[in-house]
Amino acid sequence: MKTFFWLIFLFTPVVLLPPKIIDPVAILQKVDANLTSRTRIMESSMVIYGRRANRTITSKVYAEGNDKAYTEYLSPEREKGTKMLKLGQMLWIYSPETDRTIQLSGHLLRQSVMGSDLSYEDMMEDRKLTDVYNAKQLGKEQMGNRSCVVLELNAKVNDVNYVKQKIWIDEERFVPLKQELYAKSGQLLKIVSMTDVKKVGVRWFPHKMNYKDALKNGQGTDFIILKIQFDAPIPTGIFSKAVLKR
Amino acid sequence: MITFLLKGMLRDKNRSLLPVLIVTIGVALTVLLSGYLRGVMDDVSDVNARFETGHVKIMTRAFAENKAQLPLDLALLGVDSLHKSLKKQFPNMSWVSRTRFGGILDVPDTFGNSRGQGPVFGIALDFLSKGTLEPERMNIPKSIVRGRLPQTLGEMLVGEDFAHKLKIKIGDQVTHFGSTMNGSMSFKNFVVTGTVRFGMAAMDKGTVLMDIQDAQAMLDMIDGTGELLGYSNKNIYDDASMQEVVHTFNNRQSLSDEFAPVMLTLKQQNNLGELIDYSTQMSGAYVFIFVLAMAVVLWNTGLLGGLRRYKEFGIRLALGEGKSHMYRTLILESVAVGFVGSVLGMLVGLSGVYYLQTYGLDISDMMENSAMLIPSIIRAKITPDLFIIGFVPGLLATTLGAMLSGIGIFKRQTASLFKELEV
């Protein structure tokens, strides 16, 4: 009996201790370390699920920091040769069919890219989460067989696409596995699910993302990374308008 | 007796002039309001039929469910074979493909960079087929402000105000940027051959017009169209016969396939059914209110006349005239008053309707931000039923008034007549 009480005495503090609070900012910093890089060269395919048919579009992206990105569409035939250049908040699109370069701005950036569930703004946003959001821990949840920390992110800057996010972060690999993106009104706009997390060099990176517009029916859009290189040298002159017509 | 009554009416202005004036004003107002309402509603449904709804319209089931969003990914495909079968099935109708879509029109500078751009609403129709009626149906030749209609592929018309805003000149090359029916980016260069102004705020904001073949290529919808519009060869919308066409067509289509075609009548689109029913009800309400108000006023006038003519009725009864005969003569008098008043009222009312039909009312200031297809100048319309709408209630009101006021005749006691008259 004495031993029993001793056991209770020994274990009670452990049971009553509140769950361990991890610093949400520290978590976001680790996520940023995984997801952001000085430069990035990536080949990807985008599977767009339509009501009549599905389409797959492949592209190659060169990106430097948050401000510069160049995308060239490789297939299918109709899209082949279409190029996009992002410099700061400016976005130009070149169409080989018309041999014209058109600049997109304002509300046009909120339009869908190639009929997908991604907007041009989604594509252009590449800032570190810690630069844009304040984080608050909501708890922990299991996503499949991964244990996740759930954070609520509230924007601390004005020029942000989604003022609020709920994000599920793998607490071991510090990679987001799910994001819910909200408008200022509290309306859920998009759900992003990340899978196929692989190690690339020293970082973990999801290789398949499903973007689902919460305001539309359907399966959303799968964004699949085929090849990715971090901090690789970018060919000179790629971030200039002249490259579009080349 | 008739001469007696006529002389009495003409010599006693209270029995003729006042009731005739009341009936004239009432009939004139009813005819004017009904003619105006009729004209506005006819204009609205005609404009909608020409520009948007057809007399009937075919879309896919899925497109029809979201038609306000113009979802091109749900557009009709296999249009050529559908067109042929429709021609065979409904030989008294003509069928045309139309596609409406949104996009951006980009105007380049001399170096090919964007000089200006703005959102546009595109309408693709048949400009180039031999004997096409589409430009006339949409009143495009008369709406051209500058330039000419497209004559070859790769040409387009632009809204005059939009062209003015972006400083687009005739012959300039512009690029339309938008999405294909699959959602891919679409770019196409066009030469602007002319500018148009339709006189409808909803159409003049940023409309571009191009040939349907250009749109099919640009939107990656070969042998496809957003909508297939049907027009009766009589060029008049007859709801009963169009409902029959719709019923026949829809009964042959699959209910389970969301891409199966579905047909709607003009009245089933753009809330036009409610609008047309509402205007018919309003027109009926005008007539009812007129008959009621006129009957009350004329009843009152008749009662006053009865009091004034109390002695006359007494003498006529004393002389042996029957009460029923006297009542009938009163009604006969009212019919004469009603007839004259209605004819005069019709003349005044129809003159007003004719004026509004010819010159119309300019409501463009009120319609600046409207998305409805309503002409900027609305006009009244003279229709045959206006003669019935004005004439019958005019007669009815006076007769009803006389019948109500004349009841007093039957309450007179013959036995006390001489005492009342004190002769």
Side-chain angles (χ1 to χ4, degrees):
Chain A
M1 194 62 180
K2 206 175 172 182
T3 319
F4 174 73
F5 279 114
W6 268 111
L7 280 171
I8 288 177
F9 177 74
L10 279 172
F11 283 103
T12 302
V14 175
V15 173
L16 294 181
L17 266 179
K20 191 183 168 192
I21 305 277
I22 310 166
D23 178 13
V25 178
I27 297 174
L28 278 194
Q29 280 169 346
K30 287 180 180 174
V31 171
D32 282 338
N34 267 327
L35 299 187
T36 57
S37 56
R38 193 178 53 79
T39 65
R40 184 190 299 178
I41 302 172
M42 176 172 74
E43 261 184 64
S44 64
S45 73
M46 196 158 65
V47 184
I48 302 159
Y49 298 99
R51 278 172 86 166
R52 270 191 160 122
N54 302 334
R55 290 179 305 133
T56 303
I57 297 167
T58 57
S59 61
K60 188 166 187 178
V61 179
Y62 297 85
E64 190 179 292
N66 179 41
D67 285 338
K68 296 176 183 172
Y70 167 79
T71 308
E72 181 170 352
Y73 288 90
L74 308 172
S75 71
E77 200 55 40
R78 194 178 169 99
E79 263 69 52
K80 194 175 172 181
T82 301
K83 297 165 189 171
M84 284 186 203
L85 177 66
K86 172 202 165 188
L87 294 176
Q89 287 305 302
M90 315 285 262
L91 181 71
W92 289 271
I93 300 178
Y94 171 77
S95 121
E97 195 185 341
T98 55
D99 194 27
R100 286 283 324 274
T101 302
I102 289 175
Q103 186 189 333
L104 292 193
S105 54
H107 72 281
L108 292 177
L109 297 173
R110 286 193 281 274
Q111 301 290 314
S112 140
V113 179
M114 299 277 183
S116 68
D117 286 36
L118 273 94
S119 68
Y120 293 104
E121 276 182 344
D122 289 336
M123 251 181 49
M124 289 169 73
E125 182 63 68
D126 197 23
R127 284 181 285 183
K128 286 181 176 174
L129 290 171
T130 43
D131 290 345
V132 180
Y133 292 103
N134 288 317
K136 183 172 87 180
Q137 188 179 342
L138 296 179
K140 285 187 180 185
E141 270 181 40
Q142 200 72 15
M143 293 276 296
N145 58 355
R146 307 298 305 176
S147 172
C148 292
V149 180
V150 186
L151 300 183
E152 183 183 285
L153 307 183
N154 287 292
K156 59 183 177 187
V157 293
N158 290 325
D159 59 329
V160 64
N161 301 338
Y162 306 101
V163 292
K164 192 179 131 186
Q165 290 195 23
K166 198 174 166 188
I167 186 165
W168 284 254
I169 298 165
D170 184 325
E171 66 176 343
E172 190 188 333
R173 298 185 296 197
F174 296 100
V175 172
L177 297 183
K178 186 181 171 187
Q179 275 173 286
E180 286 180 356
L181 311 173
Y182 293 86
K184 203 173 184 178
S185 62
Q187 166 82 50
L188 174 64
L189 296 175
K190 274 177 197 162
I191 301 165
V192 190
S193 306
M194 289 87 157
T195 50
D196 196 15
V197 178
K198 290 178 190 166
K199 195 146 196 183
V200 183
V202 291
R203 64 182 83 216
W204 290 98
F205 203 85
H207 280 59
K208 185 176 178 184
M209 287 155 251
N210 177 271
Y211 285 81
K212 170 82 186 73
D213 189 329
L215 307 175
K216 283 197 231 168
N217 294 324
Q219 296 177 57
T221 300
D222 282 342
F223 189 84
I224 300 160
I225 294 166
L226 305 172
K227 279 184 206 167
I228 189 158
Q229 288 175 270
F230 293 101
D231 298 323
I234 303 279
T236 47
I238 207 136
F239 300 122
S240 74
K241 274 177 74 184
V243 83
L244 292 171
K245 286 198 176 192
R246 206 181 288 163
Chain B
M1 189 67 197
I2 290 171
T3 321
F4 167 74
L5 288 174
L6 274 175
K7 274 184 182 172
M9 281 171 69
L10 290 172
R11 286 172 187 171
D12 183 359
K13 295 258 187 309
N14 287 315
R15 281 160 69 186
S16 53
L17 189 65
L18 183 64
V20 164
L21 271 178
I22 291 166
V23 175
T24 304
I25 293 167
V27 168
L29 279 175
T30 309
V31 168
L32 190 65
L33 287 172
S34 297
Y36 175 71
L37 202 62
R38 200 61 52 98
V40 171
M41 289 323 298
D42 279 5
D43 272 1
V44 169
S45 58
D46 184 56
V47 161
N48 274 275
R50 286 169 183 275
F51 284 90
E52 211 173 303
T53 63
H55 291 154
V56 293
K57 186 198 276 183
I58 302 175
M59 300 161 272
T60 63
R61 240 169 246 290
F63 188 101
E65 278 167 21
N66 303 288
K67 61 180 184 290
Q69 296 163 22
L70 299 173
L72 286 184
D73 54 326
L74 310 174
L76 270 174
L77 295 176
V79 174
D80 277 351
S81 62
L82 181 60
H83 208 129
K84 278 174 196 156
S85 93
L86 285 165
K87 262 184 165 176
K88 205 171 154 186
Q89 200 178 351
F90 306 107
N92 296 325
M93 295 194 65
S94 42
W95 302 92
V96 291
S97 293
R98 295 245 188 102
T99 298
R100 295 180 289 149
F101 52 91
I104 304 292
L105 202 68
D106 187 275
V107 186
D109 60 16
T110 44
F111 303 104
N113 296 320
S114 297
R115 189 186 77 204
Q117 58 180 216
V120 287
F121 177 71
I123 303 177
L125 58 141
D126 182 5
F127 273 113
L128 306 177
S129 292
K130 203 178 168 190
T132 177
L133 296 172
E134 281 282 84
E136 276 72 24
R137 185 174 283 130
M138 289 183 70
N139 206 24
I140 296 170
K142 286 183 186 166
S143 305
I144 287 197
V145 181
R146 290 182 280 154
R148 58 164 175 83
L149 292 175
Q151 288 168 355
T152 58
L153 291 175
E155 294 185 337
M156 74 157 44
L157 294 173
V158 178
E160 168 66 16
D161 299 344
F162 187 84
H164 185 73
K165 202 168 119 191
L166 291 184
K167 298 186 178 90
I168 300 172
K169 297 192 294 292
I170 307 301
D172 276 0
Q173 191 182 66
V174 293
T175 305
H176 184 277
F177 164 57
S179 301
T180 66
M181 74 173 286
N182 300 312
S184 294
M185 283 185 238
S186 79
F187 295 85
K188 189 161 173 62
N189 289 337
F190 288 92
V191 173
V192 177
T193 62
T195 63
V196 282
R197 186 181 284 131
F198 290 103
M200 282 177 284
M203 292 285 295
D204 287 334
K205 278 178 190 163
T207 301
V208 294
L209 298 147
M210 64 182 70
D211 187 72
I212 189 82
Q213 292 175 65
D214 269 332
Q216 284 173 328
M218 182 177 82
L219 305 171
D220 198 13
M221 51 196 297
I222 301 305
D223 198 21
T225 182
E227 300 153 334
L228 199 61
L229 274 59
Y231 291 94
S232 152
N233 286 346
K234 289 179 191 161
N235 222 10
I236 293 166
Y237 176 74
D238 172 18
D239 192 49
S241 62
M242 289 305 111
Q243 275 192 30
E244 206 179 304
V245 168
V246 165
H247 188 69
T248 313
F249 180 82
N250 286 346
N251 273 353
R252 293 186 182 185
Q253 308 305 324
S254 157
L255 290 172
S256 55
D257 180 6
E258 66 172 340
F259 296 110
V262 64
M263 193 189 278
L264 300 176
T265 63
L266 175 145
K267 271 184 86 173
Q268 289 168 327
Q269 301 172 61
N270 295 7
N271 298 325
L272 286 173
E274 287 91 333
L275 212 59
I276 290 168
D277 292 345
Y278 174 73
S279 79
T280 312
Q281 284 163 11
M282 284 303 289
S283 189
Y286 287 152
V287 174
F288 177 75
I289 291 167
F290 158 69
V291 171
L292 200 71
M294 293 301 105
V296 170
V297 172
L298 292 167
W299 173 21
N300 201 30
T301 315
L303 283 176
L304 289 172
L307 284 176
R308 258 189 346 97
R309 295 167 72 188
Y310 195 75
K311 231 176 216 178
E312 178 204 327
F313 292 154
I315 292 168
R316 283 168 66 181
L317 284 173
L319 288 171
E321 190 176 344
K323 285 179 179 175
S324 302
H325 182 265
M326 199 180 291
Y327 189 67
R328 281 200 299 276
T329 59
L330 258 185
I331 292 170
L332 203 66
E333 268 183 32
S334 71
V335 169
V337 165
F339 180 81
V340 174
S342 296
V343 169
L344 290 175
M346 295 278 290
L347 284 173
V348 176
L350 286 174
S351 306
V353 176
Y354 180 73
Y355 176 83
L356 285 176
Q357 181 175 282
T358 312
Y359 299 103
L361 277 180
D362 188 348
I363 57 159
S364 50
D365 288 345
M366 283 188 272
M367 302 305 295
E368 256 174 22
N369 297 315
S370 169
M372 282 179 82
L373 278 183
I374 295 179
S376 299
I377 294 176
I378 50 172
R379 297 172 195 280
K381 191 174 185 183
I382 296 176
T383 52
D385 59 350
L386 282 185
F387 292 90
I388 299 163
I389 284 173
F391 202 76
V392 173
L395 274 181
L396 202 70
T398 49
T399 312
L400 202 64
M403 283 166 79
L404 287 168
S405 60
I407 292 169
I409 291 170
F410 294 99
K411 290 180 181 165
R412 298 290 287 271
Q413 299 293 322
T414 321
S416 56
L417 267 178
F418 284 94
K419 195 184 169 203
E420 281 175 20
L421 294 169
E422 288 179 349
V423 282

